[in-house]
Structures are given as structure tokens and as C-alpha cells.
Amino acid sequence: MFQKLQLVLICFLFLLLPLFVSAVAKSEVNFFVDSTYDLEGKEEITAFLFRITPNSHFYIDKDWWQELDEDSQKEAEDSLLALEEEFKNKIYPTLTATYGSEWKPGIDNDERITILFHPMKKMAKGYFNSGDEYSRLILPSSNQREMVYLNANFITDPLMKTFLAQEFTHLITFNQKEKIKGVTEEVWLNEARAEYSPTLLGHDDKYQGSNLQARVQVFLKNPSDSLTEWQGKEADYGAANLFIQYLVDHYGIEILVDSLQSKKTGIASINEALSENGFEEDFSQVFTDWTIAVLVHNCQLGEKYCYKNENLKNLYITPSINFLPFAGESTLAMTDNSKNWAGNWYRFTGGGGTLKIEFIGNPENLFKVPYIAQDLLGNWQEVSFLKLNELQRGEILVPGFRTKVASVAIIPSVQSKISGFSSTELSIPFFWEASTIGESEESPTSEEKPSNNQTQTKRIQELLEKIAALEKELAELRTELSQLLGGSESSTGEPLSCQKFGRDLYYGMKDNPEVSCLQELLKNLGPEIYPEGLVTGNFLTLTKEAVKRFQEKYAEDILAPISLTEGTGYFGQKTRAKINEILGE
């Protein structure tokens, strides 16, 4: 009897075997991945479904998993189960309650998001591809899911929860900005908002080994990196994190939330959020105060000149030290360059008598130059500002140098551009000169100081020569930038020519010659399509908006056949066909 039951059971299981096989097969999915991130440069992988939770699907690269030994698989499983709980109970509810939801049920009509682990290059922790939010009719490489990608090689790293939080923030931002508001966030602010998510979630509370600690170390190595120019370098993340920490410290998380909910982007959205929350300061003032705070870090000097975050209480940047000889009158001078929204710190010490500091910027750009003195006990004094005239020139006199004042620091920054930041921004030259001009502590100001006509004429001539030198350098930098951005000629001097486009192009592509071709063509179509006219090879916000304008201009041929009324910014099959038609005319 028992043997008969066994036989029946075996037969029953044999009949069910195809169902089990089918279930296993359904758990495997082919995904498109970004070859610039993938460890082996793959464009497509096969992954299996590891877990389903109320708000997520966890998928793992099949080939990568099979290469792990049994112990490594067990360790990875434990880490994934912990990450699953963190996402379900903390990351998802906290970030959606703060910033709003991702697109639900989304393009795949599924309430859950997909989290895909595949091996990536060493520096990559994860990424988000907005192309997955579009139909394959528009973008054939779309996975047609709300999803994020994480580096499988960091699957057991304690910071994996931080990486997931950051990429999920990008997924939310896409919905809140692009889907709902119809605008694309400036890259720097998109990244800065994601950088703050680990702090918001408490992941940075334990400073040692945290993402915050890593960003502080990066920032201190290169504090003069531009906040708004985004090239995806480590230094970019350092500046973005430390600035956004300061912004939220003093003005609240509401600034990040309200700027995300605004139809404006970047600096304009932060200015709007500051105003709506009752603050008198604008982005320029906040940025300037931040550059002072990271030098002095002293709440007693001013409530805005420090961090409130206890983990950042010992954050101080090291300024460039400039020493003037103790004996006799002496002069130091420097021509330097800066990009918009980058801090520059110079400290003057040594010398004796009265310290004179002159600053000359370029008249085409707006500079702010706060300065602050330090007494003999090392205490920073009241913050003041150089009064720059319409030519961006100014000077200060500091009596009692070395007898009452141990050092003076200036913090010049360029604050001209407020939107449309690309991956390569123009460097702006400026000049400063520091000199000791006498022993008297009662030296008159520059307005009171007597001078004969000959001396005055000579001084004016010297200043004009310095300005001319700066303008020459600026012109050379513009030429260099134009060449870096691709210009209208190739490296051989021949006109850039693109006869036909054979593949899709999309937001996020960088250093791509086909993107340069597209940008050149859009530029030639006129300012109504591509007013900025930059040829960079980088498919970022300005190019995306230009493609949208082109698609809407030829909506009957591009958008109507796929039942769309607004441009998407993706250079897909229909758009390529229209461009190629124009090229063939």
C-alpha cells in the first residue's frame, strides 16, 4: 500500500513538473543595462527574481550569482533580506512621505518597483535610467519599469542601503518633476537632493564609515569644485553633499521638498522655496554664507557661519596661505580662475603695517568677495565685503597687520549664471594683489590717500594693463572651451558632418560623437529649436529640451503616430526618421 502511494505521489509530481519549470522560467527576465556602468560592458543581462515585497521586486544577475560559492551566496542572501526590510520599512515610506511618490502604477502598471543587482565597474555604486519610464516604441532599450540598478559587487556593503536610497530618490524626482511638472531638474540639484537622503533616513547618524564621512573627505581634497557644473566626478558629489547639508541645516528640509514640487528647476526653484518659506535670503546669500561657514565654522560669529549637524562640527577647509615678508614693504599678486558657484579661499599672513588687498574681476561677470580678519589669538572677526564697482574692481585697507591682525582671508566666487549648466562650464579669470604699505595704523583709505598726478596716472595704467591681461585670458579660455565642446569643426579642421543617424540617442549619454552631430544639426535648425547651440557630445538637459522642440515642431510625423501630444526628448525611431529625411533633402 505504501509503495502504491509513493508511486501515485511520484506520478503526481511528474505531472506538476512542467508547471514548476514554467514558474522558474517566468522568474527569469532579460534586462537592458547601461554598458558604461556594467563591469563587462554588457548591454543586456539575464536576471532571476530573488524576492517580491509589497513595494519591490529584487532581481539578481544570473551569471554573477552562479559564480558565487555557497558561502558567498548565503552571505549575499542575508544582506539582501536585511536590505529588503530596510527598503520596505524605512527607505520607501520615509522618502515617499517626504518627497512624494514614484510613478504609480507606472509604465508597467505594477505598484512595485524593480531593484536590479548586476556587477558594475568599481567606482559605480548604482544608477537610475529615466529611459525605463518610456515605451519601447520610443526607446527600444527601455525596460519599461520603474526601476533602479545597484552594483552587485557591493551587495554585502553596509552602505548598500544608502546607495538604494539615493537611486530611489532619483526615481521619485523623475515622477515629481518630469511626469507631473513637465520639467527636467538641473543635474546638480537632482544629485544633491539624492545625496541628502541618507542623512534624512538616519544612515549618516553613525559618522564613521558613513556616506557623509566619505563626502567630507572628498570635499576637503577639492573644496573649490563648482557646485553647479556636473561632470560626475567624486569632487562633484563632495561639494553637492556639503552644500545641501548646510542648506537643510539652516533652512529646513522644506526647501528641498518645495523646490522639488516647483515647476522651476535648479537655483530658481530654491529661490522660490526660500521665499515661500518666509526667508529673506536667496541662493546667492546662502551660497556665500556657506563659503564663509566652511572656513570659520563659528556660530558665535554669526548663526549662519557654522553647521548644526554634530557630525560636521569639526569641518574646516584649509585656505591657500599667502605669506608676506615681515620686514619692509612687500607685494604678492595672483591671477586665478574660477567657475560659477565655486568657493575660493585665500589667507594672507606675515607682513606688518597696513595690509592692502586689491581685487579685479571681469566686468562681464558678477563676483562676491567677503573678507574676514583674524586677531592675534586666532579668533575670526566680523565678516565684511569688498565693494566692487561696475568693473568688478575693489580694494580694502587693514591697519594693524601683525600687531592687531594676524591674518586676513578673502573668499571670491563667481555668481553670474543661474541656469542651463552643462557638463563643461567656462572658467572666469580674476586677479588679486596683497601688499603692506607702511607702518602707520592710521593709514588713510584709498579715497583719502594723497597722490600726485604722475603716480595716479601710473597706477591707472597698471590697473588697465591687468584688466587687459584678464580679458585676453578670458578670450583664450572661451576659445579653448569652444574647442572642448566640439565647436563647428572637427579636430582635423574639417566641418562636422553627419549624413545619417542610425541609432537612438537619449538623456545621459556623454562624450558621444553622434550626440555632437545631433547637437550641430539642432543648432543649424535655428534658435527656436536649440537657442543655446552648445555642441558638447553630452546629451543633457539642454539637448533634451531641443529634441522636444523638434519633436513638437514635426508632431504630425513624430508624435501623432504613437499617440503623443508632447515631445519626450528621446531621439528615437520616429525622430531619427524625420531628421534623416531632413538631411536627405
Side-chain angles (χ1 to χ4, degrees):
M1 182 68 179
F2 179 72
Q3 290 179 335
K4 286 185 177 180
L5 286 174
Q6 280 187 316
L7 181 61
V8 170
L9 181 60
I10 290 171
C11 292
F12 180 73
L13 290 174
F14 183 80
L15 291 172
L16 288 179
L17 184 59
L19 297 177
F20 284 117
V21 172
S22 176
V24 171
K26 287 182 180 179
S27 71
E28 291 187 0
V29 177
N30 291 333
F31 287 96
F32 294 106
V33 295
D34 192 328
S35 60
T36 61
Y37 288 103
D38 187 80
L39 185 61
E40 298 178 3
K42 294 179 181 178
E43 295 182 350
E44 191 173 357
I45 65 168
T46 300
F48 69 90
L49 181 61
F50 174 76
R51 292 277 289 184
I52 299 177
T53 77
N55 48 31
S56 64
H57 298 279
F58 279 73
Y59 280 89
I60 304 175
D61 184 304
K62 180 180 176 181
D63 290 342
W64 176 83
W65 181 263
Q66 289 178 343
E67 290 179 1
L68 298 180
D69 59 35
E70 187 175 344
D71 289 340
S72 297
Q73 286 185 352
K74 180 61 170 64
E75 188 179 3
E77 284 182 4
D78 292 343
S79 297
L80 284 168
L81 291 173
L83 185 63
E84 171 196 311
E85 288 300 306
E86 177 75 13
F87 185 73
K88 179 176 65 175
N89 298 324
K90 193 169 188 179
I91 296 175
Y92 187 91
T94 302
L95 293 184
T96 54
T98 303
Y99 294 128
S101 174
E102 79 281 17
W103 186 15
K104 293 179 69 174
I107 190 169
D108 56 359
N109 201 33
D110 189 334
E111 294 284 330
R112 300 175 180 88
I113 76 161
T114 294
I115 301 168
L116 172 63
F117 293 84
H118 72 98
M120 301 179 193
K121 294 170 184 175
K122 186 175 181 180
M123 294 304 295
K125 307 301 189 299
Y127 62 94
F128 161 71
N129 182 3
S130 61
D132 293 325
E133 299 281 29
Y134 293 89
S135 165
R136 285 182 183 162
L137 291 173
I138 300 171
L139 186 64
S141 61
S142 170
N143 286 311
Q144 298 184 133
R145 294 169 178 249
E146 283 63 54
M147 69 180 296
V148 298
Y149 306 75
L150 295 173
N151 192 338
N153 290 325
F154 290 96
I155 209 163
T156 58
D157 192 314
L159 286 179
M160 182 54 80
K161 61 183 181 181
T162 284
F163 308 149
L164 175 54
Q166 290 170 330
E167 301 312 327
F168 183 56
T169 304
H170 290 310
L171 184 61
I172 292 173
T173 298
F174 174 85
N175 183 47
Q176 297 299 318
K177 278 291 188 187
E178 296 199 31
K179 290 296 296 181
I180 297 176
K181 303 295 188 303
V183 295
T184 302
E185 183 63 277
E186 292 270 9
V187 177
W188 71 269
L189 183 52
N190 194 341
E191 295 292 346
R193 196 177 282 112
E195 280 292 311
Y196 190 76
S197 289
T199 302
L200 176 66
L201 291 161
H203 295 171
D204 293 326
D205 289 353
K206 183 180 179 182
Y207 182 69
Q208 196 67 31
S210 68
N211 181 69
L212 179 59
Q213 183 190 38
R215 297 312 192 208
V216 167
Q217 292 171 348
V218 167
F219 175 71
L220 293 178
K221 290 178 183 177
N222 190 1
S224 292
D225 185 74
S226 169
L227 171 64
T228 52
E229 178 193 59
W230 198 266
Q231 297 181 320
K233 302 180 299 183
E234 268 197 327
D236 295 339
Y237 291 96
N241 191 304
L242 271 297
F243 173 77
I244 220 70
Q245 295 284 346
Y246 175 87
L247 177 68
V248 177
D249 250 8
H250 290 280
Y251 300 93
I253 189 64
E254 292 78 16
I255 304 303
L256 288 187
V257 174
D258 292 348
S259 64
L260 179 59
Q261 301 305 319
S262 171
K263 289 187 176 181
K264 298 178 180 179
T265 62
I267 292 174
S269 70
I270 289 181
N271 281 335
E272 182 178 80
L274 287 167
S275 177
E276 288 180 350
N277 283 274
F279 295 105
E280 295 181 359
E281 296 90 340
D282 62 2
F283 181 85
S284 173
Q285 184 64 58
V286 174
F287 179 84
T288 303
D289 288 344
W290 172 64
T291 64
I292 299 168
V294 294
L295 174 67
V296 303
H297 207 307
N298 188 338
C299 297
Q300 294 180 346
L301 184 64
E303 63 175 347
K304 298 297 172 61
Y305 298 146
C306 62
Y307 280 98
K308 296 179 181 178
N309 187 331
E310 282 296 307
N311 284 331
L312 298 175
K313 63 182 180 182
N314 294 319
L315 174 66
Y316 297 92
I317 63 100
T318 301
S320 170
I321 304 296
N322 301 275
F323 184 82
L324 292 100
F326 288 118
E329 296 185 355
S330 57
T331 299
L332 293 174
M334 174 181 280
T335 298
D336 209 343
N337 298 287
S338 179
K339 297 187 176 182
N340 271 278
W341 307 108
N344 301 276
W345 297 265
Y346 305 92
R347 184 175 174 184
F348 305 98
T349 188
T354 296
L355 174 67
K356 180 180 181 180
I357 301 175
E358 294 179 84
F359 180 87
I360 303 176
N362 184 276
E364 296 180 10
N365 293 277
L366 175 65
F367 284 83
K368 276 194 177 181
V369 189
Y371 70 93
I372 182 169
Q374 191 177 39
D375 66 21
L376 300 180
L377 297 176
N379 300 312
W380 291 104
Q381 304 301 300
E382 184 178 357
V383 176
S384 301
F385 287 80
L386 270 77
K387 294 181 179 179
L388 305 180
N389 62 21
E390 66 278 4
L391 299 177
Q392 297 296 288
R393 291 163 47 189
E395 67 176 49
I396 55 169
L397 296 173
V398 183
F401 199 48
R402 198 177 67 177
T403 59
K404 291 184 178 180
V405 176
S407 69
V408 176
I410 63 171
I411 314 173
S413 60
V414 188
Q415 302 185 6
S416 303
K417 191 172 180 179
I418 60 171
S419 64
F421 297 99
S422 65
S423 61
T424 305
E425 292 291 326
L426 184 66
S427 290
I428 311 298
F430 60 89
F431 170 86
W432 58 254
E433 181 179 277
S435 57
T436 50
I437 58 175
E439 295 299 324
S440 171
E441 296 182 12
E442 302 299 327
S443 298
T445 65
S446 57
E447 290 80 3
E448 298 168 338
K449 184 177 179 180
S451 61
N452 57 42
N453 290 338
Q454 184 178 1
T455 302
Q456 186 71 11
T457 301
K458 181 180 178 182
R459 185 62 185 145
I460 290 173
Q461 184 60 37
E462 289 175 350
L463 289 173
L464 289 173
E465 289 174 357
K466 290 172 183 174
I467 293 172
L470 286 172
E471 290 176 340
K472 180 182 178 182
E473 184 174 352
L474 183 60
E476 292 172 351
L477 286 167
R478 282 189 179 129
T479 301
E480 182 181 349
L481 179 66
S482 178
Q483 293 172 348
L484 287 171
L485 296 179
S488 58
E489 293 186 346
S490 68
S491 58
T492 62
E494 296 296 323
L496 186 63
S497 175
C498 302
Q499 299 302 318
K500 186 177 181 180
F501 290 91
R503 71 177 190 130
D504 294 351
L505 306 174
Y506 49 89
Y507 182 86
M509 299 180 77
K510 294 184 178 180
D511 300 321
N512 188 295
E514 290 181 272
V515 172
S516 294
C517 290
L518 174 61
Q519 291 168 328
E520 184 68 28
L521 178 59
L522 293 170
K523 176 182 175 182
N524 292 336
L525 290 174
E528 71 276 8
I529 297 294
Y530 193 20
E532 298 81 9
L534 292 175
V535 181
T536 66
N538 299 323
F539 199 123
L540 299 173
T541 301
L542 298 181
T543 306
K544 182 176 179 178
E545 292 303 314
V547 172
K548 282 184 180 180
R549 296 185 194 102
F550 177 82
Q551 291 168 330
E552 289 168 1
K553 181 176 180 178
Y554 297 99
E556 186 175 344
D557 296 326
I558 300 172
L559 302 178
I562 52 177
S563 302
L564 294 177
T565 58
E566 296 182 357
T568 64
Y570 279 95
F571 188 69
Q573 183 178 1
K574 295 291 185 182
T575 313
R576 278 193 292 112
K578 188 62 185 179
I579 286 276
N580 289 333
E581 178 187 326
I582 293 172
L583 286 170
E585 292 177 352

